[in-house]
Amino acid sequence: MRTDVDAFLRRLAQEIRPRTNDSVDALLQRLRSEFPQPWQYEDFAAIAREDAAQHVARFLDVLEHGLDAADVAAAPPHAMEVSRKLVRSGVPLSTLLRAHRLGHVVMFQLIWAEVPRLTADPELINAAAMRLMEAGSAYVDRTAEHIVASYQEERDRWLQRRLVLTSEAGRRIGTTLDISHTAQELADVGTGDFADRVTVDLLVSALPDSGAHPPPDPTLLCRVAQQSASGGAPSQLPLTPGSTHTYPPESEPARALATGRPGLHRVMASDAPTWWARSPDGVHSVLLVPLLARGDTLGLVQFFRTGSSTPFDDDDLLLAQEIAARAAVHLDNARRYTHEHATALTLQRSLLPQHMVEQSAVLAASRYLPSGSRAGVGGDWYDVIPLSGARVALVVGDVVGRGLHASATMGRLRTAVRAFADIDLMPDELLTHLDDVVIRLQREEGQDAGETSATCLYAVYDPISRVCSLASAGHVLPAVASPPAPDSDGPALRSVDLPDMPIGPPLGLGGLPFETTQFTLREGSLLTLYTDGLIESRTRDVDVTRTTLCDVLASAPESPDEICDRLLASLLPTRPADDVALLVARTLALDPGRVATLDLPSDPATVSTARRFTSDTLTSWGLDDLSFIAELVVSELVTNAVRYGESPIQLRLIRQPTLTCEVYDAGSTAPHMRRARTFDEGGRGLLLVAQLTERWGTRHGREGKVIWAEQRLSAEGPDRFGL
């Protein structure tokens, strides 16, 4: 019986062998439907066909010649190549073994389909089935062992190389948030032990500075970085860093950018396409890998091999994809950071004063330096606010945090400070109201927005009395430099002090008081306000930097602008780790001849005295054209003080770029402008004052209040109303 089975299987193999190609086609069709993934890789179909043909031929040899399947030396050569290719394609071993078994099952089915045509003897069919099953199982097991060994050997080699290169890429790419530097790191890693030359092109539309002016051509590229393994100069490449260019629409680089699919291209010098002319001389293979991150195409990186280097293969393409994918994420992070940093910085600068306002109390200069850290722009700010009575408010503050949120919060606090300053609050009262604003912001934003807190220093300087009043909410103390002594024999040095004053809690804590400190300044004194970034650093001692600050101010020139430059050069030789806001003000004193004061009794008859005093004072100042309106304003303000205020009453006229009329009384009740009805006898005085002057208001003090109004030093005011 065994002889009959051997003869039958020999005949069966001989009958099937002429139709091997048909059997291979049927086998491949079944495998393609069950395992479509490997067929998307280049050249796999051809290798798989050779592999299937070799398996069919070898198993038919086993049947025809009566060989023992367990003694088969090894799997067919193309089977080993298929396993290695699937490793490089990332196909798991389980999938390979399933495909291997399925292929042989299909092969056995095709062979068994021929049995009924050759014999109808059931005993022979059963015996042949047993022999066929035994031989098939042994053959599958034997070839699977060789395929698995080949797969694991190739996987170990591939993983080792992949780990080394990807580890190097992870270590060296993305060390900064600078786009150009990150692109150059990619080019450097690519030429380390992988390619002979690397170029990195980014779409101009993906660069952060293209948002305001998008390029006319969306495919326009900018050469950001390139590198050569031989260390040649960048000029050896057709394009230089910073230059822009495009590829022809039908070229391979343009297709890679459009589809986002990488490609491996080998070209002989005689068959080089037009876009190949932009490649380095002697190139025989190139990898085109789009830079993709978070759904956006950022650009294209090209890896070249030249001269005698081994041409790229699919294994190299996968490695290049992984390196480029890592780099693309870092490039996108740098792009987003640069965009957000520029946006926050633009917002920050737009919320700061664009120029110093005109006022006669101080000569001021300021500087703002954004931080050089990755945390982003902070919330430092400064301000110079003209107040009534020739006074000026100097403000410096620092919002906790970084980025757009800190900049936006800074803008809201600066607006609030200006609003509170407009109603002439004392420094401690202003900080109390500002503290309430910060607490409301905390409640509105909730805990998810993070901590909302700030520090602030608010100072008010009066050039008439030369008194400076200031209060601090957790902010660093200012530096005060007195003018140099005029009779000193040596170099004129200033005396620099840090005021001995209490520092209140930061804004946002609530429930704790602030305290105003007052001191008199000599004319020409320097008042220097700054944020902690100027003196605090991880690498510098605060006491040392404060000493340096005082030394610079001691020998400072008269110009506040020059003082700012000297302070920054001495204290911040490198880019600061934290934002810095600096405000330097040189105090002025208003000439006593520009101020006229008159004490008045609480008597209606004193109104005429106030009018005569105003007229005489303006005549002595050469401002007769303002006398008519000024007398009307003084008459209304003094009348209100006599009727509704308390003694003592004082009239003060201040001549500066505007004419200020102030009436002080000891009462605390402030007047309010209202709309008078047709037959009302009163209620029109403040309306008249508001219409005839540039601005007016009320300033409350510890004792009493001041009602003030300002006029321009020209005849425009009366002419507006035809008076």
Side-chain angles (χ1 to χ4, degrees):
M1 186 66 180
R2 180 178 179 83
T3 303
D4 295 339
V5 172
D6 291 341
F8 177 75
L9 292 178
R10 184 180 305 110
R11 181 186 172 193
L12 179 63
Q14 292 172 350
E15 289 289 334
I16 294 175
R17 192 178 295 278
R19 300 193 303 274
T20 298
N21 289 337
D22 295 338
S23 300
V24 170
D25 291 339
L27 189 153
L28 291 178
Q29 183 177 0
R30 178 70 181 277
L31 287 176
R32 187 188 292 269
S33 63
E34 294 289 338
F35 301 97
Q37 178 185 356
W39 265 264
Q40 66 181 327
Y41 300 110
E42 185 181 359
D43 300 334
F44 182 80
I47 299 176
R49 184 174 186 84
E50 292 294 332
D51 177 34
Q54 289 180 358
H55 274 295
V56 171
R58 180 164 293 192
F59 189 69
L60 291 179
D61 289 342
V62 171
L63 298 181
E64 185 175 357
H65 301 294
L67 302 176
D68 188 352
D71 295 334
V72 174
H78 280 82
M80 316 292 276
E81 179 62 25
V82 166
S83 68
R84 287 190 288 267
K85 190 170 187 63
L86 292 181
V87 169
R88 295 192 292 267
S89 302
V91 176
L93 178 61
S94 59
T95 302
L96 172 62
L97 291 177
R98 285 173 54 204
H100 179 70
R101 294 191 181 97
L102 178 62
H104 286 84
V105 168
V106 174
M107 182 178 67
F108 298 154
Q109 290 174 345
L110 293 173
I111 294 174
W112 187 251
E114 295 293 322
V115 171
R117 191 174 61 84
L118 300 180
T119 183
D121 184 356
E123 291 186 7
L124 183 59
I125 292 176
N126 288 336
M130 293 297 294
R131 290 284 301 277
L132 188 63
M133 185 179 301
E134 180 183 354
S137 298
Y139 180 80
V140 169
D141 292 342
R142 182 62 173 169
T143 55
E145 290 178 5
H146 293 94
I147 290 174
V148 169
S150 175
Y151 183 97
Q152 291 178 336
E153 180 183 353
E154 180 66 17
R155 183 185 60 181
D156 292 343
R157 186 183 69 85
W158 161 245
L159 289 178
Q160 181 66 25
R161 184 183 179 196
R162 189 171 186 174
L163 284 173
V164 170
L165 285 177
T166 54
S167 175
E168 189 73 5
R171 184 179 64 85
R172 295 174 55 186
I173 299 177
T175 59
T176 69
L177 285 173
D178 180 82
I179 293 178
S180 298
H181 193 273
T182 302
Q184 189 60 51
E185 289 173 337
L186 169 60
D188 294 341
V189 169
T191 54
D193 188 24
F194 184 65
D196 294 321
R197 289 180 181 175
V198 178
T199 63
V200 182
D201 296 325
L202 296 183
L203 290 168
V204 173
S205 58
L207 296 176
D209 55 354
S210 65
H213 304 285
D217 185 357
T219 64
L220 185 64
L221 293 163
C222 177
R223 176 62 52 85
V224 181
Q226 56 189 12
Q227 186 58 277
S228 172
S230 60
S235 59
Q236 294 179 354
L237 294 173
L239 295 173
T240 58
S243 59
T244 58
H245 64 100
T246 58
Y247 286 104
E250 299 302 323
S251 65
E252 294 300 335
R255 188 175 295 111
L257 280 170
T259 62
R261 296 177 181 174
L264 164 60
H265 302 278
R266 302 187 185 97
V267 178
M268 300 298 292
S270 57
D271 300 329
T274 55
W275 65 270
W276 200 265
R278 297 186 182 180
S279 304
D281 295 337
V283 173
H284 51 69
S285 62
V286 60
L287 300 177
L288 304 177
V289 186
L291 294 167
L292 308 175
R294 300 180 177 95
D296 294 333
T297 300
L298 306 182
L300 181 71
V301 56
Q302 302 179 68
F303 301 88
F304 301 95
R305 282 187 179 171
T306 62
S308 60
S309 299
T310 304
F312 286 119
D313 56 19
D314 293 339
D315 186 357
D316 298 319
L317 180 59
L318 289 173
L319 276 174
Q321 283 182 260
E322 185 160 353
I323 295 172
R326 288 172 175 262
V329 173
H330 290 298
L331 286 169
D332 190 51
N333 290 340
R335 180 175 69 110
R336 291 169 180 264
Y337 167 78
T338 303
H339 175 73
E340 181 176 344
H341 184 271
T343 302
L345 185 57
T346 301
L347 175 62
Q348 174 85 344
R349 292 193 183 279
S350 67
L351 294 175
L352 293 173
Q354 303 303 306
H355 54 82
M356 289 298 173
V357 294
E358 182 181 358
Q359 40 79 34
S360 57
V362 296
L363 293 177
S366 60
R367 297 291 187 272
Y368 171 75
L369 271 67
S371 70
S373 67
R374 295 186 179 186
V377 177
D380 294 17
W381 90 92
Y382 62 87
D383 211 346
V384 178
I385 308 172
L387 302 177
S388 63
R391 299 169 306 132
V392 67
L394 305 174
V395 191
V396 168
D398 185 1
V399 175
V400 174
R402 292 286 184 273
L404 290 173
H405 180 266
S407 297
T409 303
M410 177 274 290
R412 299 169 77 174
L413 295 185
R414 178 173 177 248
T415 301
V417 170
R418 280 187 159 263
F420 294 143
D422 193 54
I423 57 178
D424 278 316
L425 294 176
M426 292 288 290
D428 58 329
E429 295 176 358
L430 184 142
L431 293 180
T432 300
H433 286 284
L434 195 61
D435 187 41
D436 294 337
V437 171
V438 175
I439 293 174
R440 284 196 297 270
L441 290 178
Q442 292 173 346
R443 294 172 180 171
E444 292 172 1
E445 295 172 354
Q447 296 181 352
D448 295 338
E451 179 186 6
T452 300
S453 182
T455 64
C456 183
L457 179 68
Y458 184 81
V460 176
Y461 174 68
D462 187 344
I464 298 175
S465 64
R466 294 183 287 106
V467 171
C468 180
S469 306
L470 69 161
S472 171
H475 202 83
V476 292
L477 296 176
V480 179
S482 301
D487 55 350
S488 58
D489 297 333
L493 296 178
R494 300 175 182 269
S495 173
V496 183
D497 296 310
L498 300 177
D500 183 13
M501 56 174 288
I503 299 179
L507 301 173
L509 296 182
L512 298 174
F514 302 98
E515 185 174 342
T516 296
T517 299
Q518 293 185 331
F519 47 84
T520 302
L521 297 175
R522 293 165 52 192
E523 182 180 3
S525 297
L526 294 176
L527 193 58
T528 304
L529 288 68
Y530 48 89
T531 54
D532 55 4
L534 184 67
I535 62 172
E536 295 182 3
S537 172
R538 294 180 180 178
T539 60
R540 298 178 299 168
D541 183 75
V542 175
D543 294 333
V544 174
T545 53
R546 279 204 178 101
T547 302
T548 304
L549 171 69
C550 294
D551 292 341
V552 173
L553 292 178
S555 58
E558 293 295 319
S559 170
D561 270 304
E562 292 184 27
I563 297 173
C564 287
D565 293 338
R566 289 193 182 185
L567 286 173
L568 295 180
S570 301
L571 297 175
L572 300 173
T574 59
R575 191 172 180 182
D578 191 9
D579 285 26
V580 173
L582 173 64
L583 179 61
V584 177
R586 182 162 63 85
T587 61
L588 304 175
L590 202 60
D591 190 330
R594 292 176 174 265
V595 181
T597 304
L598 177 64
D599 294 326
L600 299 171
S602 181
D603 183 353
T606 196
V607 175
S608 59
T609 303
R611 292 171 66 96
R612 284 194 303 272
F613 175 78
T614 301
S615 177
D616 294 341
T617 302
L618 295 185
T619 299
S620 66
W621 287 346
L623 301 175
D624 298 276
D625 55 337
L626 301 181
S627 181
F628 180 76
I629 293 180
E631 289 183 41
L632 287 177
V633 171
V634 168
S635 178
E636 293 298 333
L637 298 183
V638 172
T639 299
N640 277 335
V642 171
R643 286 185 177 181
Y644 309 110
E646 299 177 7
S647 296
I649 300 173
Q650 185 182 77
L651 169 64
R652 187 167 70 165
L653 303 176
I654 306 172
R655 178 188 176 185
Q656 45 175 339
T658 60
L659 174 64
T660 303
C661 302
E662 294 184 346
V663 175
Y664 165 83
D665 72 85
S668 59
T669 303
H672 296 280
M673 186 169 59
R674 64 183 180 88
R675 186 178 184 86
R677 298 179 181 178
T678 305
F679 299 103
D680 287 351
E681 295 183 1
R684 297 178 179 83
L686 290 181
L687 177 62
L688 184 62
V689 170
Q691 293 296 317
L692 294 177
T693 59
E694 289 295 318
R695 61 187 188 126
W696 74 280
T698 304
R699 180 171 74 249
H700 289 271
R702 300 298 186 195
E703 298 178 358
K705 65 179 180 299
V706 174
I707 312 298
W708 56 270
E710 291 182 357
Q711 293 176 252
R712 287 187 181 179
L713 297 185
S714 67
E716 295 178 3
D719 291 344
R720 290 183 302 170
F721 308 102
L723 299 175

